[in-house]
Amino acid sequence: DTAVSQTPKYLVTQMGNDKSIKCEQNLGHDTMYWYKQDSKKFLKIMFSYNNKELIINETVPNRFSPKSPDKAHLNLHINSLELGDSAVYFCASSQGGGIRYEQYFGPGTRLTVT
Amino acid sequence: SQQGEEDPQALSIQEGENATMNCSYKTSINNLQWYRQNSGRGLVHLILIRSNEREKHSGRLRVTLDTSKKSSSLLITASRAADTASYFCATASAGRRALTFGSGTRLQVQP
């Protein structure tokens, strides 16, 4: 059983397009995250939702908009894609607000903007 | 800002040898976590050590934490080719709701 799943795994698109990445967790966790991993493998938090409420919104361009329809889902919509958005995006989940406990990561979505 | 800094950035050893990776951080922490990332995959949690703990073991893994030096080390004993991966430390600090990850150590275990 997949604990944290993301779709799609690969996404190739042109500059200016709008795209979405979906994430689902079946662990019963109350907190979900989006991370961006750049080409140097540096992992940076973008957003976090706790019980469908946005609790972390790092300095991310407002072209990125997360949406959490319920506790088990956290989707990421990106408008007007730019070359610099190319990266691997990871969804993760945890219980109890996050930092006190381990996080469970999805397999990642490799976004390539051409 | 980047909190955790792993050292070395890359490490190549022979199967059976021990691998040691270090992590330094800047601010006081609630806990420190180590994760493994295989190529093309998501991160997998390995071990969590709280600020009041000094050492923790899990199988072939041994983690130490020295809060006075703001550093941690991950030791993998009797390494295997399957241990080849990137290893990240992540810190949880009071006042922040997110983990802060370092840039990782890339470990290559030669069979």
Side-chain angles (χ1 to χ4, degrees):
Chain A
D1 286 345
T2 303
V4 182
S5 60
Q6 294 178 229
T7 54
K9 188 167 175 61
Y10 300 96
L11 188 51
V12 181
T13 188
Q14 292 184 326
M15 283 175 56
N17 285 347
D18 303 338
K19 290 293 179 186
S20 292
I21 307 172
K22 296 186 176 181
C23 177
E24 177 181 2
Q25 55 96 3
N26 63 6
L27 297 167
H29 289 164
D30 61 4
T31 307
M32 296 184 71
Y33 311 82
W34 278 110
Y35 288 90
K36 178 180 180 180
Q37 187 173 45
D38 61 24
S39 58
K40 295 185 178 179
K41 301 296 185 184
F42 182 49
L43 200 69
K44 189 171 182 181
I45 184 73
M46 299 174 68
F47 301 104
S48 175
Y49 271 75
N50 177 258
N51 285 318
K52 296 170 47 181
E53 178 187 349
L54 181 66
I55 59 171
I56 296 174
N57 184 352
E58 294 287 297
T59 51
V60 177
N62 58 15
R63 298 181 295 104
F64 290 78
S65 54
K67 284 188 173 52
S68 181
D70 56 56
K71 283 199 316 182
H73 296 85
L74 180 61
N75 304 323
L76 183 65
H77 188 76
I78 315 170
N79 290 328
S80 304
L81 278 154
E82 300 178 356
L83 292 176
D85 297 333
S86 295
V88 182
Y89 292 84
F90 287 99
C91 176
S93 73
S94 69
Q95 186 60 33
I99 67 167
R100 291 180 296 165
Y101 306 103
E102 64 267 29
Q103 296 185 8
Y104 293 78
F105 283 77
T109 295
R110 181 174 294 276
L111 172 64
T112 304
V113 183
T114 62
Chain B
S1 63
Q2 189 169 338
Q3 165 81 311
E5 296 271 357
E6 284 93 339
D7 169 59
Q9 289 188 336
L11 180 60
S12 182
I13 59 174
Q14 297 293 319
E15 212 167 22
E17 293 180 339
N18 295 342
T20 299
M21 288 157 267
N22 302 298
C23 170
S24 60
Y25 56 92
K26 297 173 184 172
T27 62
S28 61
I29 60 170
N30 177 287
N31 67 68
L32 186 144
Q33 304 179 28
W34 284 92
Y35 288 79
R36 182 187 75 230
Q37 183 180 31
N38 290 84
S39 180
R41 309 288 286 274
L43 279 73
V44 174
H45 180 263
L46 295 176
I47 201 162
L48 181 154
I49 186 165
R50 303 195 188 282
S51 60
N52 60 353
E53 296 174 312
R54 291 297 166 258
E55 188 170 314
K56 214 163 181 181
H57 298 254
S58 176
R60 293 183 296 112
L61 306 180
R62 173 178 167 250
V63 168
T64 61
L65 178 64
D66 187 335
T67 53
S68 66
K69 294 182 179 178
K70 291 187 169 58
S71 67
S72 173
S73 67
L74 170 66
L75 168 67
I76 304 174
T77 60
S79 64
R80 304 166 182 168
D83 294 328
T84 294
S86 291
Y87 292 82
F88 295 86
C89 70
T91 53
S93 302
R96 270 187 63 81
R97 290 185 167 188
L99 296 176
T100 305
F101 284 82
S103 54
T105 292
R106 289 176 295 284
L107 173 66
Q108 177 78 40
V109 181
Q110 308 283 354

